[in-house]
Amino acid sequence: MPKKGRRQQNVKDKKFIFAKYKYTIAIFAGIAAVVAVAAYFGIHSLIPVNSNVPVFSPPVNTFMKATYSPQTGYVFTTQSSTAARPVNVSGYNSPTIVLKLGALDSIHLINEDSDTRSLHNLNIDAFNVHTRNLGYFESQSQTFIANKIGTFVYYCSIHPEMRGLIKVEQ
Ligand SMILES: [Cu+2]
């Protein structure tokens, strides 16, 4: 075969190979895209809200409910015994959360305010925790590192009476 003809044949072969594997290539590209997106969001979910780097250790969990009752008014409640214990502190109607310095804490807020169906949120300015406004039965989790010793406030920005303390101890 003359040189020129062979080159044309090569180009044809390449086109043929591409056409043959078009769908396989498309499927692998699709899988790669899905994996990349999953990895991106997976890594992001491991980055605490007051840090820039992912943390690969299991967090302690603090489950908070936003509720209302005629006796208590708007209040946060919790049954998480590991991270939180109820402490009566005047001016704060919600439980005190107690954490060890350096603890990784996932705070899970659920709106269980079936009485008024108000929106609620949870904020801990000291640790950059800010949930969005949650409607009835919505929930959101945020993970932070208790990287400062001291006593800090958490609150709902919609109901100033919904306030509690976070104590971080050595
Ligand atoms: Cu509220």
Side-chain angles (χ1 to χ4, degrees):
M1 200 186 280
K3 222 176 180 185
K4 206 178 171 194
R6 202 180 297 146
R7 200 179 298 141
Q8 273 171 350
Q9 186 61 40
N10 269 345
V11 169
K12 262 190 206 159
D13 283 350
K14 274 182 191 152
K15 275 189 184 158
F16 174 73
I17 285 168
F18 181 75
K20 191 177 174 187
Y21 293 109
K22 199 162 54 178
Y23 293 107
T24 312
I25 290 165
I27 287 165
F28 274 97
I31 290 169
V34 167
V35 167
V37 167
Y40 178 80
F41 284 104
I43 288 290
H44 264 242
S45 71
L46 293 172
I47 300 176
V49 292
N50 60 343
S51 172
N52 297 317
V53 290
V55 177
F56 296 94
S57 59
V60 292
N61 291 294
T62 306
F63 296 93
M64 305 293 287
K65 287 181 194 173
T67 62
Y68 174 90
S69 80
Q71 292 78 36
T72 61
Y74 292 111
V75 69
F76 289 109
T77 63
T78 183
Q79 294 184 354
S80 295
S81 55
T82 49
R85 63 179 183 240
V87 177
N88 279 329
V89 185
S90 72
Y92 300 91
N93 72 352
S94 298
T96 298
I97 297 167
V98 181
L99 298 172
K100 284 261 170 257
L101 178 65
L104 183 68
D105 189 52
S106 276
I107 199 145
H108 310 276
L109 174 66
I110 183 163
N111 179 340
E112 291 198 4
D113 180 1
S114 57
D115 278 44
T116 75
R117 305 265 172 143
S118 175
L119 295 173
H120 295 283
N121 58 41
L122 193 154
N123 304 274
I124 315 167
D125 294 345
F127 299 113
N128 196 34
V129 172
H130 302 284
T131 72
R132 63 181 188 276
N133 293 334
L134 302 175
Y136 178 58
F137 233 73
E138 286 186 315
S139 65
Q140 191 184 349
S141 301
Q142 289 206 327
T143 301
F144 67 96
I145 304 171
N147 54 7
K148 287 181 262 197
I149 288 180
T151 303
F152 310 96
V153 178
Y154 69 87
Y155 62 93
C156 169
S157 68
I158 300 166
H159 308 97
E161 66 272 34
M162 297 175 77
R163 288 159 66 82
L165 296 174
I166 295 199
K167 279 189 183 179
V168 180
E169 301 171 338
Q170 188 73 58

